[in-house]
Amino acid sequence: MTTHPTTPFDGQKPGTSGLRKKTPVFMQPNYLENFVQATFDAVDGVAGKLLVLGGDGRYFGAEAAQVILKMAAANGAARVIVGQGAWLSTPAASNMIRKRKADGGIILSASHNPGGPKEDFGVKYNMANGGPAPEAVTEAIFARTKTITEYRMLDVADIDLSHLGEVRLGAMVVEVVDPVSAYADMMEEIFDFKALRDLFKAGFRMRMDSMCAITGPYAVEILERRLGAAPGTVTHAVPLPDFGGMHPDPNPTWAHELMGEMMGAEAPDFGAASDGDGDRNMIVGRGIYVSPSDSLAVIAANAHLVPGYARGLKGVARSMPTSAAVDRVAAAVGIDCYETPTGWKFFGNLMDAGRVSLCGEESFGTGSDHVREKDGVWAILMWLNIIAARGMGVAELMAEHWARFGRNYYSRHDYEALPTEVANAMLDDLRGRLDTLKGKEYQGLVVESSDEFCYTDPVDGSVSAHQGFRILFEGGSRVVLRLSGTGTEGATLRVYLERYAPGPEGLGEEPQEALAPIIAATEEIVGIRARTGRPGPNVIT
Ligand code: VG1
Ligand code: CO
């Protein structure tokens, strides 16, 4: 064992999902080492423990995996299960932790953030339930990073992660596993693979854009090999360290290639995309884009048609900024619906307690209690299974859904990389005026209530304050504002806009038009343009 002296780095505070920084920041001597040792220390050490390790294949991931293995060995871990080539999608890592009853796991990814020598890198710790560390643990990690004086690391050569099998690193065993097969087997248990094979056999055409990120190998194995979708169904299927220059964020802005194809004359029946680490998904039909909030609601309304959920859902949960479309389904079906802060870590307790089996976020995240992470490929298979069971296309499913439940028009406007002081000053000012808004009229909309979201976990009673500003207008429209906790440059303001149309009239509007009064009212209340000097958002989803 070798003990290395070190001194703390500022700002090693995990955000919405792990610690994310520019790659060169992570590559500084001791930076990764400090954070990993702080993590081990915060979970009472890893002596004798079983860990899972993998990542999305981005730049610096393979080198980071070697460092973490040598540190795990020096800290006395018994065994580390690592995906071949240091690859594991986030949901596959979650599954591996659960299946192998590991004590925890480390995921190397900055998820939907671009990768490369000048882009982003990230490290996230997951617990024995397979889910992201809760706030109490991430706070303990952060506290430890501020007092760290040494880390432990074996001084040995790198090991070969390209071959399956077991290797010794000191007294620790490194077990290199196929990153795909256990995950694909789990999908086969949840979904009606025969019905899906029949769907593709009957000529159903699909396009899956893996965006040069981690789902490529998973999607090729499941869709093309096990389900018989045409070869080439999955595009950008080979994970690359810089994602081929793509921004692996599956939304209409960044997955524009897929959007172009799905809106074109030769569009296949169904389109989907996923993000860097494979936990996000975007669903697109021929000529129709499905908002993530609507996707969650459609899945909730149809889940019982999928073998894994044939007995119905225990309950559902959504993050606060996600639209209330799923709430309407829950009310109709008679199940509980929970509202949590942004970030998957807040769903873990609800799933572990058996209160919910389906969760979702407006940010293209959907998942269930089959793992404790959101799961892109799972969501895509959910849609395919529903399409097969209902014998309907995406456009028909959406029209039917809105006719039954009404439509929650929804959009998110992002202002990325704002100067931090400008963003903080703007929101501090709003906080100061929040209590005075009630009853006032903006652009014809009257404020019904406004607050800053504070969550009390119904399972363990822990409290998370300052989770976003909510302004509700009379008639069920609302705007939510919060700062991103995953960005690596300045501050990113997210503005979430929602308006409910009960139908039957007014269900077919273009969302930006349907939301125009709320957008204008938000500008009047918050003054985003005036304060930031930006003409408008730079990403609209
Ligand atoms: C964003 C999303 C949030 C999601 C998080 C991690 O966080 O809004 O819903 O859980 O990313 O997703 P923020 O704090 O930037 O708004 V992933 O796929 O990047 O792990
Ligand atoms: Co992700």
Side-chain angles (χ1 to χ4, degrees):
M1 187 212 287
T2 320
T3 300
H4 300 257
T6 188
T7 49
F9 286 92
D10 277 342
Q12 291 197 318
K13 185 177 170 58
T16 311
S17 179
L19 183 69
R20 293 188 195 178
K21 297 287 173 193
K22 290 286 171 207
T23 311
V25 173
F26 255 111
M27 291 176 75
Q28 298 172 79
N30 296 355
Y31 193 92
L32 171 70
E33 291 83 349
N34 275 18
F35 187 71
V36 172
Q37 187 65 53
T39 300
F40 289 166
D41 292 349
V43 297
D44 295 328
V46 294
K49 288 185 179 175
L50 170 60
L51 298 175
V52 168
L53 174 66
D56 61 5
R58 76 177 58 216
Y59 187 86
F60 188 54
E63 292 84 346
Q66 296 288 348
V67 168
I68 292 168
L69 287 170
K70 291 173 198 172
M71 288 185 66
N75 278 276
R79 178 181 285 259
V80 178
I81 301 165
V82 53
Q84 192 175 20
W87 282 357
L88 273 178
S89 78
T90 288
S94 183
N95 179 49
M96 194 66 74
I97 293 170
R98 293 168 68 77
K99 279 271 150 64
R100 296 291 304 271
K101 300 197 164 34
D103 295 286
I106 292 182
I107 300 175
L108 304 171
S109 168
S111 191
H112 62 285
N113 301 16
K118 294 197 175 123
E119 300 295 347
D120 292 355
F121 192 74
V123 176
K124 185 170 83 161
Y125 187 76
N126 280 30
M127 310 299 285
N129 72 346
E135 277 194 330
V137 174
T138 57
E139 272 159 25
I141 296 172
F142 180 45
R144 185 70 186 130
T145 65
K146 296 188 219 173
T147 60
I148 192 161
T149 55
E150 58 182 40
Y151 63 84
R152 287 184 283 288
M153 180 151 118
L154 286 196
D155 189 15
V156 291
D158 284 357
I159 57 167
D160 182 4
L161 296 178
S162 68
H163 291 100
L164 301 181
E166 294 190 356
V167 198
R168 277 197 176 268
L169 202 54
M172 185 181 90
V173 178
V174 178
E175 182 183 339
V176 183
V177 299
D178 172 12
V180 175
S181 56
Y183 177 86
D185 293 348
M186 170 177 55
M187 294 298 118
E188 216 156 328
E189 282 167 26
I190 297 174
F191 298 102
D192 185 349
F193 267 38
K194 181 179 177 308
L196 297 186
R197 273 193 289 270
D198 290 346
L199 185 72
F200 285 115
K201 216 181 279 167
F204 186 86
R205 286 195 309 132
M206 169 174 180
R207 170 72 65 224
M208 161 81 190
D209 191 343
S210 284
M211 304 188 83
C212 302
I214 195 67
T215 61
Y218 296 84
V220 168
E221 171 65 19
I222 294 168
L223 297 172
E224 298 185 13
R225 298 213 187 95
R226 299 198 188 187
L227 294 175
T233 292
V234 186
T235 51
H236 302 120
V238 177
L240 300 173
D242 65 350
F243 305 122
M246 291 180 94
H247 187 158
D249 193 353
N251 64 43
T253 301
W254 297 117
H256 49 85
E257 225 177 288
L258 175 73
M259 287 301 284
E261 187 177 0
M262 294 309 297
M263 299 302 145
E266 299 297 307
D269 300 289
F270 183 67
S274 54
D275 74 333
D277 62 332
D279 56 359
R280 294 186 180 205
N281 73 94
M282 177 172 76
I283 301 296
V284 202
R286 189 188 292 132
I288 180 170
Y289 158 73
V290 181
S291 87
S293 295
D294 279 344
S295 172
L296 177 66
V298 170
I299 290 175
N302 293 281
H304 59 282
L305 302 171
V306 176
Y309 309 90
R311 286 186 298 168
L313 300 173
K314 293 170 187 158
V316 294
R318 62 163 171 84
S319 66
M320 182 274 282
T322 303
S323 96
V326 73
D327 303 36
R328 297 182 185 280
V329 177
V333 180
I335 54 175
D336 288 336
C337 178
Y338 296 85
E339 189 178 36
T340 61
T342 294
W344 210 261
K345 57 177 174 258
F346 294 103
F347 294 133
N349 276 347
L350 295 171
M351 289 192 271
D352 286 348
R355 295 198 191 199
V356 304
S357 31
L358 175 70
C359 306
E361 294 191 279
E362 52 63 45
S363 54
F364 301 83
T366 335
S368 89
D369 55 1
H370 67 292
V371 289
R372 292 293 181 276
E373 289 277 7
K374 54 190 185 271
D375 189 343
V377 170
W378 171 90
I380 292 160
L381 291 169
M382 209 62 193
W383 267 88
L384 281 172
N385 204 148
I386 291 167
I387 287 168
R390 297 290 306 272
M392 278 184 188
V394 176
E396 280 170 281
L397 276 168
M398 290 317 305
E400 193 221 40
H401 187 91
W402 290 329
R404 183 169 166 210
F405 296 101
R407 179 170 181 183
N408 290 71
Y409 284 101
Y410 190 84
S411 182
R412 185 175 103 183
H413 290 189
D414 290 337
Y415 297 77
E416 294 180 331
L418 295 172
T420 307
E421 326 77 64
V422 171
N424 284 338
M426 184 167 67
L427 293 185
D428 285 346
D429 176 60
L430 176 64
R431 183 180 287 116
R433 289 183 293 122
L434 211 52
D435 288 344
T436 68
L437 300 178
K438 192 176 168 175
K440 291 197 181 137
E441 190 178 323
Y442 301 91
Q443 308 285 324
L445 292 166
V446 178
V447 176
E448 189 176 272
S449 66
S450 50
D451 67 356
E452 199 175 359
F453 183 50
C454 177
Y455 179 66
T456 303
D457 186 302
V459 179
D460 67 15
S462 59
V463 175
S464 303
H466 307 298
Q467 298 297 325
F469 297 95
R470 304 191 276 200
I471 302 171
L472 270 72
F473 300 102
E474 285 175 4
S477 298
R478 69 165 188 172
V479 57
V480 171
L481 298 104
R482 59 178 280 281
L483 294 181
S484 158
T486 60
T488 57
E489 219 183 307
T492 290
L493 174 71
R494 304 203 193 285
V495 182
Y496 310 81
L497 305 144
E498 180 175 358
R499 197 193 103 197
Y500 179 61
E505 272 86 48
L507 295 177
E509 282 179 61
E510 201 280 314
Q512 299 307 316
E513 275 163 34
L515 295 165
I518 303 160
I519 297 169
T522 304
E523 190 52 38
E524 199 183 328
I525 297 170
V526 189
I528 303 171
R529 259 175 255 163
R531 281 176 165 270
T532 65
R534 296 277 179 90
N538 51 322
V539 178
I540 294 181
T541 53

